[in-house]
Amino acid sequence: MGEPLLKIDNLESYYGPIMAIRGVSLEVNEGQIVTVLGANGAGKTTLMKTICGVMDPEKGTVKLNGQEIQGQDPDFSVRHGIVQVPEGREIFPLMSVEDNLRMGAFTRKDRSNIAADIEMVYGYFPILKERAQQDAGTLSGGQQQMLAIGRGLMAKPKIMLLDEPSLGLSPLLTKEIFAIVKRLNKEQKVTMLVVEQNAKIALDTAHYGYVMELGRIVMGGPAEKLRESKDIQEFYLGQRSEGERAQRRWKNRKTWR
Amino acid sequence: MDLLQLLISGLANGCVYGLIGLGFVLIYKATESVNFAQGDMMMLGAFITLGLTNQSYVGLPFWLAVILAIVIMGILGYLLEVVFIRPMFGQSQIAVVILTIAIGFVARFVAGLIWGHEPQSLENPFVGKDVGFGGLVLGLDEVVIIGTTLALTGGLYLFFAYTRIGLAMQAASQNQLAAYYMGIPVKRIHSLVWALAGALAAIAGVLFASKGAIDPSTGLLGIKAFAAAIIGGFGSLPGALLGGLVVGLIEPLSSRYVAAGVSQIMPYLMLLLVLILRPHGLLSQVKAKKV
Ligand SMILES: Nc1ncnc2c1ncn2[C@@H]1O[C@H](COP(=O)(O)OP(=O)(O)OP(=O)(O)O)[C@@H](O)[C@H]1O
Ligand SMILES: [Mg+2]
């Protein structure tokens, strides 16, 4: 295997004096779906912001195809193939669905292909086609998530960063969204880095996973390995093996530090 | 007929308020701070045109002077943003507002130095000419003002609805963070919005000066245009225009039917009334964000 598409080394980011990510390293190979699991406040969103350039890291490197891109403005990262589908959708509420999609293609030079790609997005999310001329702010939460993903696709990314796509969605819709993520990965060859709290669906979809805690990566491995791990089962999948004492948790927890 | 002429003249005044108001709202929507120098930028635009075209100064052809003034004010707006406003990014809104007030003072001072404090008239092809519309005689200047405003409004609408940069300006004003995420160069967009506001100010200035004399304090008219924009709904471009028109009409009507002095305070009375009854203005653009 060659160089990973995205390689992050020892990344540190701060909010003022608060260190939100503390030396994160991870890799995403081309064609993969990689997930980062972690509780609230673990620093997942901060990691995503630092990768795409909305935040500048204090230390460490972000390499895309071997080229260092940390500290660049987001328009640079988007032009070079990293696009973020942000936490909470962040659509443009007073613009039509179609104009939202157009804004996703803002950095593209091949303007003539944009109309075809809008149709491609509608192919994955037919409901967006129905609502094409409606203000995006009037869409339901789930439809807004579809729009956010579609808008990201319009940038023709090599890698898409999805920050908690399941946030606020019903279990059924979450499944649908992840099924589409999987299809996009296969059919459109978009590499995916997905941040999630819903570990089950994330690990069922991803090839590889990392666990983040308090700004650090504490565990990483192929998705099927993580699914089998007791820690993950207890803390993220909500299962507890019968007959075990509660304190077992604390013992096991140590294994990931 | 007399009343109709009064209305037309009020409408023409209202167009000028509306155009200044558009500048206020453009910058407010993009950057969420108010540029209190907008009126002074209008004054500068008027004086630059006057300086370029009047025989006592450079004496260029009128239209050439207008185009140059629009370009110069556009560049000035762009530079103001880059040099003064952008470094204030992250500071409180109040700091930015005070800065724009200071820019206004400087603009008045500089205009006074160059062109003096005596009122002067812009030499223009419309002054003193009339056009007849089936018995109705209108000043050519008023017709030009109203026509220009209509054309500009249409042009701006097309610009914001269909061009890539216009859409990006909308996007950046609706959700700045998302605009960043999509790779829209938000800072450059802000500079361009200031450039657009500067160019609009120049046009408003030329229109205003084609009706009467100007002096360096003419820009204080901006305060009235600001009130008008709030009446119309500060977050909305059509609202800014509508507010300008309402104030432009209210002034002559109130001095005719109420008392001569009343027209001075009517815009502000209206402002109070609107703020009490419709706090977001006549055409408000407030929509909640989901989840
Ligand atoms: N703008 C900010 N200013 C100061 N601290 C912040 C800011 N944003 C996040 N933090 C802090 O940084 C840490 C990491 O936050 P982050 O948003 O990255 O977490 P997260 O893993 O995405 O959480 P969630 O799952 O709730 O979205 C938290 O402790 C948070 O309080
Ligand atoms: Mg988060």
Side-chain angles (χ1 to χ4, degrees):
Chain A
M1 212 168 227
E3 192 151 13
L5 178 60
L6 183 71
K7 188 169 190 311
I8 293 164
D9 275 307
N10 250 315
L11 207 61
E12 289 182 7
S13 283
Y14 290 77
Y15 292 104
I18 304 164
M19 192 173 182
I21 55 177
R22 309 161 171 256
V24 166
S25 301
L26 59 80
E27 294 181 0
V28 182
N29 288 320
E30 186 150 9
Q32 277 189 326
I33 301 178
V34 173
T35 185
V36 177
L37 307 174
N40 290 111
K44 306 177 299 292
T45 298
T46 310
L47 174 63
M48 302 294 246
K49 284 184 176 167
T50 313
I51 295 174
C52 79
V54 168
M55 279 176 77
D56 290 344
E58 202 74 13
K59 270 197 195 142
T61 56
V62 178
K63 284 189 196 149
L64 182 73
N65 279 325
Q67 187 194 3
E68 288 194 18
I69 59 162
Q70 72 277 1
Q72 296 279 3
D73 279 340
D75 58 299
F76 179 91
S77 343
V78 176
R79 262 175 243 282
H80 286 75
I82 300 188
V83 78
Q84 165 124 235
V85 177
E87 187 176 19
R89 299 81 156 111
E90 305 285 353
I91 45 115
F92 302 114
L94 300 172
M95 291 169 84
S96 71
V97 167
E98 196 153 314
D99 283 344
N100 267 266
L101 293 177
R102 282 219 171 81
M103 283 296 99
F106 184 85
T107 57
R108 275 171 61 177
K109 299 223 168 62
D110 56 333
R111 306 269 160 73
S112 51
N113 299 331
I114 287 177
D117 285 336
I118 289 181
E119 283 308 316
M120 180 269 288
V121 169
Y122 288 158
Y124 284 95
F125 304 107
I127 185 76
L128 295 184
K129 182 165 193 163
E130 268 172 51
R131 305 296 166 88
Q133 300 311 323
Q134 191 174 319
D135 276 0
T138 61
L139 296 179
S140 76
Q143 292 161 353
Q144 290 188 5
Q145 184 63 57
M146 295 176 191
L147 178 58
I149 295 176
R151 187 182 59 178
L153 278 176
M154 291 302 297
K156 283 262 160 198
K158 294 192 188 104
I159 178 166
M160 187 179 253
L161 313 178
L162 286 143
D163 196 345
E164 292 202 42
S166 74
L167 191 74
L169 303 190
S170 72
L172 194 66
L173 200 54
T174 305
K175 258 195 183 149
E176 242 175 72
I177 295 273
F178 271 87
I180 287 177
V181 166
K182 208 164 184 168
R183 277 180 60 203
L184 290 172
N185 173 253
K186 270 225 179 77
E187 300 166 8
Q188 304 294 329
K189 311 276 179 272
V190 186
T191 304
M192 302 272 178
L193 179 60
V194 188
V195 154
E196 256 307 328
Q197 301 218 29
N198 185 337
K200 179 163 176 6
I201 192 135
L203 289 175
D204 284 347
T205 312
H207 304 105
Y208 202 90
Y210 293 93
V211 177
M212 201 169 174
E213 270 240 320
L214 299 173
R216 287 197 177 84
I217 299 283
V218 291
M219 199 180 197
E224 58 271 23
K225 284 257 168 57
L226 291 187
R227 270 199 302 266
E228 286 157 16
S229 140
K230 286 227 157 51
D231 299 317
I232 300 268
Q233 288 184 354
E234 286 185 16
F235 291 102
Y236 291 97
L237 301 178
Q239 299 163 1
R240 194 183 301 172
S241 16
E242 285 306 317
E244 304 273 3
R245 293 240 178 92
Q247 69 207 52
R248 240 208 90 159
R249 287 174 170 193
W250 300 108
K251 203 173 118 207
N252 270 5
R253 245 175 110 98
K254 286 198 191 107
T255 64
W256 353 318
R257 287 264 158 98
Chain B
M1 274 308 142
D2 198 22
L3 177 63
L4 207 54
Q5 267 151 7
L6 199 68
L7 289 180
I8 300 283
S9 133
L11 216 53
N13 276 335
C15 285
V16 174
Y17 300 149
L19 288 180
I20 305 174
L22 277 184
F24 273 114
V25 172
L26 270 177
I27 289 180
Y28 175 73
K29 282 183 71 122
T31 64
E32 295 193 347
S33 68
V34 178
N35 170 26
F36 275 104
Q38 191 65 35
D40 301 293
M41 284 163 72
M42 176 209 80
M43 175 275 296
L44 270 187
F47 263 115
I48 291 173
T49 314
L50 183 150
L52 288 174
T53 192
N54 276 18
Q55 290 308 324
S56 50
Y57 296 102
V58 182
L60 292 178
F62 176 75
W63 291 109
L64 182 60
V66 169
I67 289 167
L68 283 176
I70 292 172
V71 171
I72 292 171
M73 285 308 296
I75 294 172
L76 184 70
Y78 191 96
L79 291 180
L80 281 177
E81 201 280 335
V82 172
V83 176
F84 294 112
I85 308 296
R86 193 179 295 176
M88 304 280 285
F89 189 78
Q91 308 270 353
S92 71
Q93 312 283 10
I94 278 294
V96 179
V97 165
I98 290 172
L99 181 72
T100 64
I101 292 175
I103 291 174
F105 269 105
V106 173
R108 265 167 268 154
F109 176 76
V110 170
L113 275 187
I114 302 179
W115 294 289
H117 290 273
E118 290 303 311
Q120 299 187 56
S121 297
L122 174 65
E123 291 161 11
N124 68 81
F126 323 121
V127 71
K129 293 199 182 125
D130 291 331
V131 276
F133 283 103
L136 184 67
V137 179
L138 301 174
L140 180 58
D141 48 1
E142 283 160 2
V143 174
V144 166
I145 289 175
I146 294 171
T148 308
T149 306
L150 280 177
L152 263 183
T153 309
L156 280 175
Y157 171 78
L158 294 177
F159 173 72
F160 281 111
Y162 295 109
T163 69
R164 177 165 167 271
I165 297 293
L167 282 169
M169 284 180 182
Q170 275 198 59
S173 89
Q174 288 175 23
N175 191 337
Q176 187 167 323
L177 183 64
Y180 262 119
Y181 281 133
M182 290 306 106
I184 295 170
V186 175
K187 290 175 195 160
R188 184 133 34 91
I189 292 285
H190 284 176
S191 311
L192 290 175
V193 167
W194 272 76
L196 186 57
L200 269 177
I203 297 173
V206 172
L207 294 181
F208 181 80
S210 70
K211 275 191 81 155
I214 52 170
D215 67 72
S217 62
T218 295
L220 296 175
L221 185 77
I223 303 295
K224 207 189 293 175
F226 178 63
I230 296 178
I231 289 173
F234 209 65
S236 128
L237 293 175
L241 262 181
L242 178 75
L245 296 182
V246 167
V247 168
L249 287 175
I250 272 296
E251 280 182 324
L253 288 181
S254 59
S255 62
R256 179 178 165 133
Y257 292 109
V258 189
V262 175
S263 73
Q264 303 279 330
I265 58 159
M266 269 319 273
Y268 305 101
L269 278 181
M270 271 217 62
L271 175 63
L272 283 179
L273 206 67
V274 167
L275 285 181
I276 292 167
L277 297 178
R278 270 187 76 92
H280 294 294
L282 297 177
L283 296 184
S284 55
Q285 213 179 38
V286 184
K287 271 185 202 167
K289 184 178 149 188
K290 286 219 178 83
V291 196

